[in-house]
Amino acid sequence: MITVRAPATSANLGSGFDVFGVALDRPADVIRVERAERTTIEITGAGSQYIPTDPDDNTVGAVVDALDAPAHIEIDKGVRPSSGLGSSAASAAGAAVALNELYDRGLTPKELVPIAAEGEAVVSGTAHADNVAPSILGGFTIATADGVEAAQTDIPLVACLPEIAVSTRDARRVVPERASMEELVETVGNAATLSVGMCQSDPVLVGRGMDDPLVTPARAELITGYAAVREAAFDAGATGVTVSGAGPSVLAACRAGDRRAVASAMLDAFDAADVEARAYQTRVSEGATIL
Ligand code: HSE
């Protein structure tokens, strides 16, 4: 039996829609795999009642097929589904790492990324790798059609998860289909700034680079209280705020000493908007680990 801890992730980071992602040090899924004649899936933990256990409908089924690795798979969900924190990606990433080890397939972590992304496609409709890449590789990742790059970094973050349901499919429908040249220039500048900030572990540059004139404003409409939460986070010392992945979680970058105040301000702002929420005081972390 192999057990893997696969971390939650935050994709997009504002300016890097469908490209950027970071691994978070918590929450995380724990995936246990054991060789079997046919694949069976058992799920416990956060939101497990909403996740199908039929391998044809579950994110890990496609991973099993790609690795030709039938198994009994137990998933203990720490990452709630539809949270914007890469819930299905954590399970797919954990399963890919665990099954690769269980069947001694010998694939490198980078080679496992497209395999786990196929699992993502089962639930979200598209095989984007911006959540599975950081969940496998850790750190800050850049996932493009040509492959994936990863950089280790140390950025304190707060991920605030409200009790609002936003599905990735719905959040993708509101993304604008066209961008003006001004919006494109602003986005490229911010994405470049964020990348430099990640490489220098500089929360100020990272925060500045999280601004995005295109996708985030459209998706913010789906999150009750977003504008007030954003403002409260900045007032408490956040260096940047954006929608985490497809939402509804809101992600703030900050200096380590401001993390507690930022988390508390975001929770208060959601509360004032009559939205229950929980905040994870976290940081960019390592990827999936075999326990
Ligand atoms: N990049 C994806 C999106 C992440 O924002 O739709 C969610 O799976």
Side-chain angles (χ1 to χ4, degrees), residues 11-12 17-18 120 128 130-131 168 172 219 245-246:
N12 303 333
F17 177 64
D18 274 358
E120 266 281 77
H128 45 258
D130 54 350
N131 283 112
T168 301
R172 290 188 81 80
R219 287 181 162 179

Side-chain angles (χ1 to χ4, degrees), residues 45-72:
S48 51
Q49 68 273 33
Y50 304 115
I51 306 172
T53 52
D54 183 335
D56 289 338
D57 301 325
N58 188 287
T59 183
V60 305
V63 177
V64 167
D65 289 347
L67 289 171
D68 188 19
H72 174 64

Side-chain angles (χ1 to χ4, degrees), residues 74-146:
E74 292 172 22
I75 305 172
D76 187 11
K77 296 294 301 173
V79 191
R80 196 200 81 182
S82 298
S83 58
L85 298 173
S87 175
S88 55
S91 296
V97 171
L99 293 170
N100 184 47
E101 183 75 12
L102 184 71
Y103 277 88
D104 211 9
R105 295 287 183 246
L107 297 182
T108 64
K110 275 194 180 177
E111 287 169 338
L112 290 174
V113 168
I115 288 172
E118 284 305 320
E120 266 281 77
V122 172
V123 289
S124 72
T126 44
H128 45 258
D130 54 350
N131 283 112
V132 290
S135 193
I136 291 175
L137 302 172
F140 165 62
T141 56
I142 301 176
T144 69
D146 293 330

Side-chain angles (χ1 to χ4, degrees), residues 8 12 16 19 32 43 67 72 81 90 151 163 165 181 185 193-194 203 209 229 251 266 283 286:
N12 303 333
V19 174
R32 280 184 201 86
I43 310 173
L67 289 171
H72 174 64
E163 286 297 323
M181 184 53 78
V185 169
T193 303
L194 186 144
V229 169
L251 184 78
M266 293 170 86
R283 62 186 330 113
E286 62 183 350

